[in-house]
Amino acid sequence: MKVVFFMFGLVGGGAERVTSIIANGLVERGHQVSIVCNDVPCMYPISDKIRFQYFRPAKKIKLRIYLMQDIRRYIKKERPDVAIGVLNFYSFYLRLAS
């Protein structure tokens, strides 16, 4: 199963930690996992089998529109079985984009 997580980044915090644990667990069970985020640093141990994709930062209104377009383009291209938005911001934009 293809699983993708949309999030700001793995820069620290509870949701990010839980996402890293879930992603590592899914990879160990044989699933294909991707993490799509804006921020490059990673503070948590992540398996080498997890694929990362980076989007441009989404702080201004115009860039948030681009973010929705980027998410939609990514979903059409990769066709994941499950897409998960981590925290409110990405859950909302994932919903709009899909």
Coordinates of all heavy atoms in Angstrom, one line a residue:
M1 N 0.9 -1.2 0.0 CA 0.0 0.0 0.0 C 0.9 1.2 0.0 O 1.9 1.3 0.7 CB -0.9 0.0 1.2 CG -1.7 1.2 1.4 SD -3.0 1.2 2.6 CE -2.5 0.2 3.9
K2 N 0.5 2.2 -0.8 CA 1.3 3.5 -0.8 C 0.6 4.5 0.2 O -0.6 4.8 0.1 CB 1.2 4.1 -2.2 CG 2.1 3.5 -3.2 CD 1.9 4.1 -4.6 CE 2.9 5.2 -4.8 NZ 2.9 5.7 -6.2
V3 N 1.4 5.0 1.1 CA 1.0 5.9 2.1 C 1.8 7.2 2.0 O 3.0 7.1 1.9 CB 1.1 5.3 3.5 CG1 0.6 6.3 4.6 CG2 0.3 4.0 3.6
V4 N 1.2 8.3 2.0 CA 1.9 9.6 2.0 C 1.4 10.5 3.1 O 0.2 10.6 3.4 CB 1.7 10.3 0.6 CG1 0.3 10.6 0.3 CG2 2.6 11.5 0.5
F5 N 2.4 11.1 3.8 CA 2.1 12.1 4.9 C 2.4 13.5 4.4 O 3.5 13.7 3.9 CB 2.9 11.8 6.1 CG 2.6 10.5 6.8 CD1 3.2 9.3 6.5 CD2 1.7 10.5 7.8 CE1 2.9 8.1 7.1 CE2 1.3 9.3 8.5 CZ 2.0 8.1 8.1
F6 N 1.5 14.4 4.5 CA 1.7 15.8 4.2 C 1.9 16.5 5.5 O 1.0 16.5 6.4 CB 0.6 16.4 3.4 CG 0.4 15.8 2.0 CD1 -0.4 14.8 1.8 CD2 1.2 16.4 1.0 CE1 -0.5 14.3 0.5 CE2 1.1 15.9 -0.3 CZ 0.3 14.8 -0.5
M7 N 3.0 17.3 5.7 CA 3.3 18.0 6.9 C 4.3 19.1 6.7 O 4.9 19.2 5.7 CB 3.8 17.0 8.0 CG 5.1 16.3 7.6 SD 5.5 14.9 8.7 CE 5.5 15.7 10.2
F8 N 4.4 19.9 7.7 CA 5.4 21.0 7.7 C 6.8 20.5 7.6 O 7.6 20.9 6.9 CB 5.2 22.0 8.8 CG 6.1 23.2 8.7 CD1 6.0 24.2 7.8 CD2 7.2 23.2 9.6 CE1 7.0 25.2 7.7 CE2 8.1 24.2 9.6 CZ 8.0 25.2 8.6
G9 N 7.1 19.6 8.5 CA 8.4 19.0 8.6 C 8.6 18.3 9.9 O 7.8 18.3 10.8
L10 N 9.7 17.6 10.0 CA 10.0 16.8 11.2 C 11.0 17.5 12.1 O 12.1 17.1 12.4 CB 10.6 15.4 10.8 CG 9.6 14.5 10.1 CD1 10.4 13.3 9.5 CD2 8.6 14.0 11.0
V11 N 10.7 18.8 12.4 CA 11.6 19.7 13.1 C 11.4 19.6 14.6 O 12.1 20.3 15.3 CB 11.4 21.1 12.6 CG1 11.9 21.2 11.2 CG2 10.0 21.6 12.8
G12 N 10.5 18.9 15.1 CA 10.3 18.8 16.6 C 8.8 19.0 16.9 O 8.1 19.7 16.3
G13 N 8.4 18.2 17.9 CA 7.0 18.3 18.4 C 6.4 16.9 18.4 O 6.9 16.0 17.9
G14 N 5.2 16.9 19.1 CA 4.6 15.6 19.3 C 4.0 15.0 18.1 O 4.2 13.8 17.8
A15 N 3.3 15.7 17.2 CA 2.7 15.2 16.0 C 3.8 14.7 15.1 O 3.6 13.7 14.4 CB 1.9 16.3 15.4
E16 N 4.9 15.4 15.0 CA 6.0 15.0 14.1 C 6.6 13.7 14.6 O 7.0 12.8 13.8 CB 7.0 16.1 14.1 CG 6.6 17.4 13.3 CD 5.8 18.3 14.2 OE1 5.5 18.0 15.4 OE2 5.4 19.4 13.7
R17 N 6.8 13.6 15.9 CA 7.3 12.4 16.5 C 6.4 11.2 16.2 O 6.9 10.1 15.8 CB 7.5 12.6 18.0 CG 8.0 11.3 18.8 CD 9.4 11.0 18.4 NE 9.9 9.9 19.2 CZ 10.7 8.9 18.7 NH1 11.1 9.0 17.5 NH2 11.0 7.9 19.5
V18 N 5.1 11.3 16.4 CA 4.2 10.3 16.2 C 4.2 9.9 14.7 O 4.2 8.7 14.4 CB 2.8 10.7 16.7 CG1 1.7 9.7 16.2 CG2 2.7 10.8 18.2
T19 N 4.3 10.9 13.8 CA 4.4 10.6 12.4 C 5.6 9.8 12.0 O 5.5 8.8 11.2 CB 4.4 11.9 11.6 OG1 3.2 12.7 11.9 CG2 4.4 11.7 10.1
S20 N 6.7 10.1 12.6 CA 7.9 9.3 12.4 C 7.8 7.9 12.8 O 8.2 7.0 12.2 CB 9.2 10.0 13.0 OG 9.1 9.9 14.4
I21 N 7.2 7.7 14.0 CA 7.0 6.3 14.5 C 6.0 5.5 13.6 O 6.3 4.4 13.3 CB 6.4 6.4 16.0 CG1 7.5 6.9 16.9 CG2 6.0 5.0 16.4 CD1 7.0 7.3 18.3
I22 N 4.9 6.1 13.2 CA 4.0 5.5 12.3 C 4.6 5.2 11.0 O 4.5 4.0 10.5 CB 2.7 6.3 12.2 CG1 1.9 6.3 13.5 CG2 1.8 5.7 11.1 CD1 0.8 7.3 13.5
A23 N 5.3 6.1 10.4 CA 5.9 5.9 9.1 C 7.0 4.8 9.2 O 7.0 3.9 8.3 CB 6.6 7.2 8.6
N24 N 7.8 4.8 10.2 CA 8.8 3.7 10.3 C 8.1 2.3 10.5 O 8.6 1.3 10.0 CB 9.7 4.0 11.5 CG 10.7 5.1 11.2 OD1 11.2 5.2 10.1 ND2 11.1 5.8 12.2
G25 N 7.0 2.3 11.3 CA 6.3 1.1 11.5 C 5.7 0.5 10.2 O 5.7 -0.7 9.9
L26 N 5.1 1.4 9.4 CA 4.5 1.0 8.1 C 5.6 0.5 7.1 O 5.3 -0.5 6.4 CB 3.8 2.2 7.5 CG 2.5 2.6 8.2 CD1 1.9 3.9 7.6 CD2 1.4 1.5 8.0
V27 N 6.7 1.1 7.1 CA 7.8 0.7 6.2 C 8.3 -0.7 6.7 O 8.5 -1.6 5.8 CB 9.0 1.7 6.2 CG1 10.2 1.1 5.7 CG2 8.6 2.9 5.4
E28 N 8.4 -1.0 8.0 CA 8.8 -2.3 8.5 C 7.8 -3.4 8.1 O 8.2 -4.5 7.9 CB 8.9 -2.3 10.0 CG 10.1 -1.5 10.5 CD 10.1 -1.4 12.0 OE1 9.3 -2.1 12.7 OE2 10.9 -0.6 12.5
R29 N 6.5 -3.0 7.9 CA 5.5 -4.0 7.5 C 5.4 -4.1 6.0 O 4.5 -4.8 5.5 CB 4.2 -3.6 8.1 CG 4.1 -3.8 9.6 CD 2.9 -3.1 10.2 NE 2.9 -3.4 11.7 CZ 3.6 -2.8 12.6 NH1 4.5 -1.9 12.2 NH2 3.5 -3.0 13.9
G30 N 6.3 -3.4 5.2 CA 6.3 -3.6 3.8 C 5.5 -2.6 3.0 O 5.4 -2.8 1.8
H31 N 5.0 -1.6 3.6 CA 4.3 -0.5 2.8 C 5.3 0.5 2.2 O 6.4 0.7 2.8 CB 3.3 0.2 3.7 CG 2.3 -0.8 4.3 ND1 1.3 -1.4 3.5 CD2 2.1 -1.2 5.5 CE1 0.5 -2.1 4.3 NE2 1.0 -2.1 5.5
Q32 N 4.9 1.1 1.2 CA 5.7 2.2 0.6 C 5.2 3.5 1.2 O 4.1 3.9 1.0 CB 5.4 2.2 -0.9 CG 6.3 3.1 -1.7 CD 6.0 3.1 -3.2 OE1 5.2 2.3 -3.6 NE2 6.7 3.9 -3.9
V33 N 6.1 4.2 1.9 CA 5.8 5.4 2.6 C 6.6 6.6 2.1 O 7.8 6.5 1.8 CB 6.1 5.2 4.1 CG1 5.8 6.5 4.9 CG2 5.3 4.1 4.7
S34 N 5.9 7.7 1.9 CA 6.5 9.0 1.5 C 6.1 10.1 2.5 O 4.9 10.0 3.0 CB 6.0 9.4 0.1 OG 6.4 8.5 -0.8
I35 N 7.0 11.0 2.7 CA 6.7 12.2 3.6 C 6.9 13.4 2.7 O 8.0 13.6 2.2 CB 7.5 12.2 4.8 CG1 7.2 11.0 5.7 CG2 7.3 13.6 5.6 CD1 8.1 10.9 7.0
V36 N 5.9 14.2 2.6 CA 5.9 15.4 1.8 C 5.9 16.6 2.7 O 4.9 16.7 3.5 CB 4.8 15.5 0.8 CG1 4.8 16.8 -0.1 CG2 4.7 14.3 -0.1
C37 N 6.9 17.5 2.7 CA 7.0 18.5 3.7 C 7.7 19.8 3.1 O 8.2 19.8 2.0 CB 7.7 18.1 5.0 SG 9.3 17.4 4.7
N38 N 7.7 20.9 3.9 CA 8.3 22.1 3.5 C 9.7 22.3 4.1 O 10.5 23.0 3.6 CB 7.5 23.3 4.0 CG 6.1 23.4 3.4 OD1 5.1 23.0 3.9 ND2 6.1 23.9 2.2
D39 N 9.9 21.7 5.3 CA 11.1 21.9 6.0 C 12.1 20.8 5.8 O 11.7 19.6 5.9 CB 10.8 22.2 7.5 CG 11.9 23.0 8.2 OD1 12.8 23.5 7.5 OD2 11.7 23.2 9.4
V40 N 13.4 21.1 5.7 CA 14.4 20.1 5.4 C 14.9 19.3 6.6 O 15.1 18.1 6.6 CB 15.6 20.7 4.6 CG1 16.7 19.7 4.4 CG2 15.1 21.2 3.3
P41 N 15.2 20.0 7.8 CA 15.8 19.3 8.9 C 14.9 18.1 9.4 O 13.7 18.3 9.4 CB 16.0 20.3 10.0 CG 15.8 21.6 9.3 CD 15.0 21.4 8.1
C42 N 15.5 17.1 9.9 CA 14.8 16.0 10.4 C 15.4 15.6 11.8 O 16.5 15.2 11.9 CB 14.9 14.8 9.5 SG 13.9 13.4 10.0
M43 N 14.6 15.8 12.9 CA 15.1 15.6 14.2 C 14.9 14.2 14.7 O 15.3 13.8 15.8 CB 14.5 16.6 15.2 CG 14.8 18.0 14.9 SD 14.1 19.1 16.1 CE 15.2 18.7 17.5
Y44 N 14.1 13.3 14.0 CA 13.8 12.0 14.5 C 14.4 11.0 13.5 O 14.6 11.2 12.4 CB 12.3 11.9 14.5 CG 11.6 12.9 15.4 CD1 10.9 13.9 14.9 CD2 11.8 12.8 16.8 CE1 10.3 14.9 15.7 CE2 11.3 13.8 17.6 CZ 10.5 14.8 17.1 OH 9.9 15.7 17.9
P45 N 14.6 9.8 14.1 CA 15.2 8.7 13.2 C 14.1 8.2 12.2 O 13.0 7.9 12.6 CB 15.5 7.6 14.2 CG 14.7 7.9 15.5 CD 14.5 9.4 15.5
I46 N 14.5 8.2 11.0 CA 13.6 7.9 9.9 C 14.3 6.8 9.1 O 15.5 6.9 8.8 CB 13.3 9.1 9.0 CG1 12.5 10.1 9.7 CG2 12.6 8.7 7.7 CD1 11.1 9.7 10.0
S47 N 13.6 5.8 8.7 CA 14.1 4.7 7.8 C 14.6 5.2 6.5 O 14.0 6.2 5.9 CB 13.1 3.6 7.6 OG 13.5 2.7 6.7
D48 N 15.6 4.6 5.9 CA 16.1 5.0 4.6 C 15.2 4.7 3.5 O 15.3 5.2 2.4 CB 17.5 4.3 4.3 CG 18.6 4.8 5.3 OD1 18.5 5.9 5.8 OD2 19.6 4.0 5.5
K49 N 14.2 3.8 3.8 CA 13.2 3.4 2.8 C 12.1 4.4 2.6 O 11.4 4.3 1.7 CB 12.6 2.0 3.2 CG 13.6 0.9 3.2 CD 13.0 -0.4 3.7 CE 14.0 -1.4 3.9 NZ 13.5 -2.7 4.5
I50 N 12.0 5.4 3.5 CA 11.0 6.4 3.4 C 11.5 7.5 2.4 O 12.6 8.0 2.6 CB 10.7 7.0 4.8 CG1 10.0 5.9 5.7 CG2 9.7 8.2 4.6 CD1 9.8 6.4 7.1
R51 N 10.6 7.8 1.5 CA 10.9 8.8 0.5 C 10.5 10.2 0.9 O 9.4 10.3 1.4 CB 10.2 8.4 -0.8 CG 10.9 8.9 -2.1 CD 10.2 8.4 -3.3 NE 9.0 9.1 -3.4 CZ 8.3 9.2 -4.4 NH1 8.6 8.6 -5.5 NH2 7.2 9.9 -4.4
F52 N 11.3 11.2 0.7 CA 11.0 12.6 1.1 C 10.7 13.4 -0.2 O 11.5 13.2 -1.2 CB 12.1 13.2 1.9 CG 12.0 12.9 3.3 CD1 12.7 11.8 3.8 CD2 11.3 13.6 4.2 CE1 12.7 11.5 5.2 CE2 11.2 13.3 5.5 CZ 11.9 12.3 6.0
Q53 N 9.8 14.2 -0.2 CA 9.5 15.2 -1.2 C 9.3 16.6 -0.6 O 8.7 16.6 0.5 CB 8.2 14.8 -2.0 CG 7.7 15.8 -3.0 CD 8.5 15.8 -4.3 OE1 9.0 14.7 -4.6 NE2 8.6 16.9 -5.0
Y54 N 9.9 17.6 -1.1 CA 9.8 18.9 -0.5 C 9.0 19.9 -1.3 O 9.2 19.9 -2.6 CB 11.2 19.5 -0.2 CG 12.0 18.6 0.7 CD1 13.0 17.7 0.2 CD2 11.8 18.6 2.1 CE1 13.7 16.9 1.1 CE2 12.5 17.8 2.9 CZ 13.4 17.0 2.4 OH 14.1 16.2 3.3
F55 N 8.1 20.6 -0.7 CA 7.4 21.7 -1.4 C 7.9 23.0 -0.9 O 8.6 23.2 0.1 CB 5.9 21.7 -1.0 CG 5.1 20.5 -1.6 CD1 4.0 20.0 -1.0 CD2 5.5 20.0 -2.8 CE1 3.3 19.0 -1.5 CE2 4.8 19.0 -3.4 CZ 3.7 18.5 -2.8
R56 N 7.6 24.1 -1.7 CA 8.0 25.4 -1.3 C 7.3 25.9 -0.1 O 6.1 25.4 0.2 CB 7.8 26.4 -2.5 CG 6.5 26.3 -3.0 CD 6.4 27.0 -4.4 NE 5.5 26.3 -5.2 CZ 5.3 26.5 -6.5 NH1 5.9 27.4 -7.1 NH2 4.5 25.8 -7.2
P57 N 7.8 26.7 0.8 CA 7.2 27.2 2.0 C 5.8 27.9 1.7 O 5.7 28.5 0.6 CB 8.1 28.2 2.6 CG 9.4 27.9 2.0 CD 9.2 27.3 0.6
A58 N 4.9 27.7 2.6 CA 3.5 28.2 2.3 C 3.1 29.2 3.4 O 2.2 29.0 4.1 CB 2.5 27.1 2.3
K59 N 3.8 30.4 3.4 CA 3.4 31.4 4.5 C 2.5 32.5 3.9 O 1.7 32.9 4.7 CB 4.7 32.0 5.0 CG 5.5 31.0 5.8 CD 6.8 31.6 6.4 CE 7.5 30.5 7.1 NZ 8.7 30.9 7.7
K60 N 2.7 32.9 2.7 CA 1.8 33.9 2.2 C 0.6 33.3 1.4 O 0.7 32.1 1.1 CB 2.6 34.8 1.2 CG 3.7 35.5 1.9 CD 4.5 36.4 1.0 CE 5.6 37.1 1.7 NZ 6.4 37.9 0.8
I61 N -0.4 34.1 1.2 CA -1.6 33.6 0.6 C -1.3 33.0 -0.8 O -1.8 31.9 -1.1 CB -2.6 34.8 0.4 CG1 -3.0 35.3 1.8 CG2 -3.9 34.3 -0.4 CD1 -3.9 34.4 2.6
K62 N -0.5 33.7 -1.6 CA -0.2 33.2 -3.0 C 0.5 31.9 -2.9 O 0.2 30.9 -3.7 CB 0.6 34.2 -3.7 CG 0.9 33.9 -5.1 CD 1.7 35.1 -5.8 CE 1.9 34.9 -7.2 NZ 2.6 36.0 -7.8
L63 N 1.4 31.7 -2.0 CA 2.1 30.4 -1.8 C 1.2 29.3 -1.3 O 1.4 28.2 -1.6 CB 3.3 30.6 -0.9 CG 4.5 31.5 -1.5 CD1 5.6 31.7 -0.5 CD2 5.0 30.9 -2.8
R64 N 0.2 29.7 -0.6 CA -0.7 28.6 -0.1 C -1.6 28.1 -1.3 O -1.9 26.9 -1.3 CB -1.6 29.2 1.0 CG -0.9 29.4 2.3 CD -1.7 29.9 3.4 NE -0.9 30.1 4.6 CZ -1.4 30.4 5.8 NH1 -2.7 30.6 5.9 NH2 -0.6 30.5 6.8
I65 N -1.9 29.0 -2.2 CA -2.5 28.5 -3.4 C -1.6 27.6 -4.2 O -2.1 26.5 -4.7 CB -3.0 29.7 -4.3 CG1 -4.1 30.5 -3.5 CG2 -3.5 29.2 -5.6 CD1 -4.5 31.8 -4.1
Y66 N -0.4 27.9 -4.3 CA 0.6 27.1 -4.9 C 0.7 25.7 -4.2 O 0.9 24.7 -4.8 CB 2.0 27.7 -5.0 CG 2.0 28.9 -6.0 CD1 2.9 30.0 -5.7 CD2 1.3 29.0 -7.1 CE1 3.0 31.0 -6.6 CE2 1.3 30.1 -7.9 CZ 2.2 31.1 -7.7 OH 2.3 32.2 -8.5
L67 N 0.6 25.8 -2.9 CA 0.7 24.5 -2.1 C -0.4 23.6 -2.5 O -0.2 22.4 -2.7 CB 0.7 24.9 -0.6 CG 0.7 23.6 0.3 CD1 2.0 22.9 0.2 CD2 0.5 24.1 1.8
M68 N -1.6 24.1 -2.6 CA -2.7 23.3 -3.0 C -2.5 22.7 -4.4 O -2.8 21.5 -4.6 CB -4.1 24.1 -3.0 CG -4.6 24.2 -1.6 SD -6.3 24.7 -1.5 CE -6.3 26.2 -2.6
Q69 N -2.0 23.5 -5.3 CA -1.7 23.0 -6.6 C -0.6 21.9 -6.6 O -0.7 20.9 -7.3 CB -1.2 24.1 -7.5 CG -2.4 25.1 -7.8 CD -1.8 26.3 -8.6 OE1 -0.7 26.6 -8.6 NE2 -2.8 27.1 -9.1
D70 N 0.4 22.1 -5.7 CA 1.5 21.1 -5.6 C 1.0 19.8 -5.0 O 1.3 18.7 -5.5 CB 2.6 21.7 -4.7 CG 3.4 22.8 -5.4 OD1 3.3 22.9 -6.6 OD2 4.1 23.5 -4.6
I71 N 0.1 19.9 -4.0 CA -0.5 18.7 -3.4 C -1.3 18.0 -4.4 O -1.2 16.7 -4.6 CB -1.3 19.1 -2.2 CG1 -0.4 19.5 -1.0 CG2 -2.1 17.9 -1.7 CD1 -1.2 20.1 0.2
R72 N -2.1 18.7 -5.2 CA -3.0 18.1 -6.2 C -2.1 17.4 -7.2 O -2.4 16.2 -7.6 CB -3.9 19.1 -6.8 CG -4.8 18.5 -7.9 CD -5.8 19.4 -8.4 NE -6.8 19.5 -7.3 CZ -7.8 20.4 -7.3 NH1 -7.9 21.2 -8.3 NH2 -8.7 20.4 -6.4
R73 N -1.1 18.1 -7.7 CA -0.2 17.5 -8.7 C 0.5 16.2 -8.2 O 0.6 15.2 -8.9 CB 0.8 18.6 -9.1 CG 1.5 18.3 -10.4 CD 2.4 19.5 -10.8 NE 1.7 20.7 -11.0 CZ 1.9 21.8 -10.3 NH1 2.9 21.9 -9.4 NH2 1.2 22.9 -10.5
Y74 N 0.9 16.3 -6.9 CA 1.6 15.1 -6.3 C 0.6 13.9 -6.2 O 1.0 12.8 -6.6 CB 2.1 15.5 -4.9 CG 2.9 14.4 -4.3 CD1 4.2 14.2 -4.5 CD2 2.2 13.5 -3.5 CE1 4.9 13.1 -3.9 CE2 2.9 12.4 -2.9 CZ 4.2 12.3 -3.1 OH 4.9 11.2 -2.5
I75 N -0.6 14.2 -5.8 CA -1.6 13.1 -5.7 C -1.9 12.5 -7.1 O -2.0 11.3 -7.2 CB -2.8 13.6 -5.0 CG1 -2.5 13.8 -3.5 CG2 -4.0 12.6 -5.1 CD1 -3.7 14.5 -2.7
K76 N -2.1 13.3 -8.1 CA -2.3 12.8 -9.4 C -1.2 12.0 -10.0 O -1.4 11.0 -10.6 CB -2.7 13.9 -10.4 CG -4.1 14.5 -10.2 CD -4.4 15.5 -11.3 CE -5.8 16.0 -11.1 NZ -6.1 17.0 -12.2
K77 N 0.0 12.4 -9.7 CA 1.2 11.8 -10.2 C 1.5 10.5 -9.5 O 1.7 9.4 -10.1 CB 2.4 12.7 -10.1 CG 3.7 12.1 -10.6 CD 4.9 13.0 -10.3 CE 6.2 12.3 -10.5 NZ 7.3 13.1 -10.0
E78 N 1.5 10.5 -8.1 CA 1.9 9.3 -7.3 C 0.7 8.4 -7.1 O 1.0 7.2 -6.8 CB 2.5 9.8 -6.0 CG 3.8 10.6 -6.2 CD 4.9 9.8 -6.8 OE1 5.0 8.6 -6.5 OE2 5.7 10.3 -7.6
R79 N -0.5 8.8 -7.1 CA -1.7 8.0 -6.8 C -1.5 7.1 -5.6 O -1.6 5.9 -5.6 CB -2.0 7.2 -8.0 CG -2.2 8.0 -9.3 CD -2.8 7.3 -10.4 NE -4.1 6.8 -10.1 CZ -5.2 7.4 -10.4 NH1 -5.2 8.6 -11.0 NH2 -6.4 6.9 -10.2
P80 N -1.4 7.8 -4.4 CA -1.3 7.0 -3.1 C -2.6 6.4 -2.8 O -3.7 6.9 -3.1 CB -0.8 8.1 -2.1 CG -1.4 9.3 -2.6 CD -1.4 9.2 -4.1
D81 N -2.5 5.3 -2.0 CA -3.7 4.6 -1.5 C -4.3 5.4 -0.3 O -5.5 5.5 -0.1 CB -3.4 3.2 -1.1 CG -3.0 2.3 -2.3 OD1 -3.7 2.4 -3.3 OD2 -2.0 1.6 -2.2
V82 N -3.4 6.0 0.5 CA -3.8 6.7 1.7 C -3.0 8.0 1.7 O -1.7 8.0 1.5 CB -3.5 5.9 3.0 CG1 -3.9 6.7 4.2 CG2 -4.2 4.6 2.9
A83 N -3.6 9.1 1.9 CA -3.0 10.4 2.1 C -3.4 11.0 3.4 O -4.6 11.1 3.7 CB -3.4 11.4 1.0
I84 N -2.4 11.4 4.2 CA -2.7 11.8 5.6 C -2.1 13.2 5.8 O -0.9 13.4 5.5 CB -2.0 10.9 6.6 CG1 -2.6 9.5 6.5 CG2 -2.3 11.4 8.1 CD1 -1.8 8.4 7.2
G85 N -2.9 14.2 6.2 CA -2.5 15.5 6.5 C -2.2 15.6 8.0 O -3.1 15.3 8.8
V86 N -1.0 16.0 8.3 CA -0.6 16.0 9.8 C -0.9 17.4 10.3 O -0.4 18.4 9.7 CB 0.9 15.7 9.9 CG1 1.3 15.8 11.4 CG2 1.1 14.3 9.4
L87 N -1.7 17.5 11.3 CA -2.1 18.8 12.0 C -3.1 19.5 11.1 O -3.4 19.1 9.9 CB -0.9 19.7 12.3 CG 0.0 19.1 13.4 CD1 1.2 20.0 13.6 CD2 -0.7 18.9 14.7
N88 N -3.7 20.6 11.6 CA -4.9 21.2 11.0 C -4.5 21.8 9.6 O -5.3 21.6 8.7 CB -5.3 22.4 11.9 CG -5.6 22.0 13.3 OD1 -5.2 21.0 13.7 ND2 -6.2 22.9 14.0
F89 N -3.4 22.5 9.5 CA -3.1 23.2 8.2 C -3.1 22.2 7.1 O -3.7 22.4 6.0 CB -1.8 23.9 8.4 CG -1.3 24.7 7.2 CD1 -1.9 25.9 6.9 CD2 -0.4 24.2 6.4 CE1 -1.5 26.6 5.8 CE2 0.0 24.9 5.3 CZ -0.5 26.1 5.0
Y90 N -2.3 21.2 7.2 CA -2.1 20.2 6.1 C -3.4 19.4 5.9 O -3.7 19.0 4.8 CB -0.9 19.4 6.2 CG 0.3 20.2 5.7 CD1 1.1 20.9 6.6 CD2 0.6 20.2 4.3 CE1 2.1 21.7 6.1 CE2 1.7 21.0 3.9 CZ 2.4 21.7 4.8 OH 3.5 22.5 4.3
S91 N -4.1 19.1 6.9 CA -5.4 18.3 6.8 C -6.4 19.1 6.0 O -7.0 18.6 5.1 CB -6.0 18.0 8.1 OG -5.1 17.2 8.9
F92 N -6.4 20.4 6.2 CA -7.3 21.3 5.5 C -6.9 21.5 4.1 O -7.8 21.3 3.2 CB -7.3 22.7 6.2 CG -8.2 23.7 5.5 CD1 -9.6 23.6 5.6 CD2 -7.6 24.8 4.8 CE1 -10.3 24.6 4.9 CE2 -8.4 25.7 4.2 CZ -9.7 25.6 4.2
Y93 N -5.7 21.7 3.8 CA -5.2 21.9 2.4 C -5.3 20.6 1.6 O -5.5 20.6 0.4 CB -3.9 22.5 2.3 CG -4.0 24.0 2.5 CD1 -3.8 24.6 3.7 CD2 -4.3 24.8 1.4 CE1 -4.0 26.0 3.9 CE2 -4.5 26.2 1.6 CZ -4.3 26.8 2.8 OH -4.5 28.1 3.0
L94 N -5.0 19.5 2.3 CA -5.1 18.2 1.6 C -6.6 17.9 1.2 O -6.9 17.4 0.1 CB -4.6 17.1 2.5 CG -4.7 15.6 2.0 CD1 -3.9 15.5 0.7 CD2 -4.2 14.6 3.0
R95 N -7.5 18.3 2.1 CA -8.9 18.1 1.8 C -9.3 19.0 0.6 O -10.1 18.5 -0.3 CB -9.7 18.5 3.0 CG -11.2 18.4 2.8 CD -11.7 17.0 2.8 NE -13.2 17.1 2.7 CZ -13.9 16.1 2.3 NH1 -13.3 15.0 1.9 NH2 -15.2 16.2 2.3
L96 N -8.9 20.2 0.6 CA -9.2 21.1 -0.6 C -8.6 20.6 -1.9 O -9.2 20.7 -2.9 CB -8.8 22.5 -0.3 CG -9.5 23.3 0.8 CD1 -8.9 24.7 1.0 CD2 -11.0 23.4 0.4
A97 N -7.4 20.1 -1.8 CA -6.7 19.7 -3.0 C -7.2 18.4 -3.6 O -7.1 18.2 -4.8 CB -5.2 19.6 -2.7
S98 N -7.7 17.6 -2.7 CA -8.2 16.3 -3.2 C -9.7 16.3 -3.4 O -10.2 15.4 -4.0 CB -7.8 15.2 -2.3 OG -8.4 15.3 -1.0

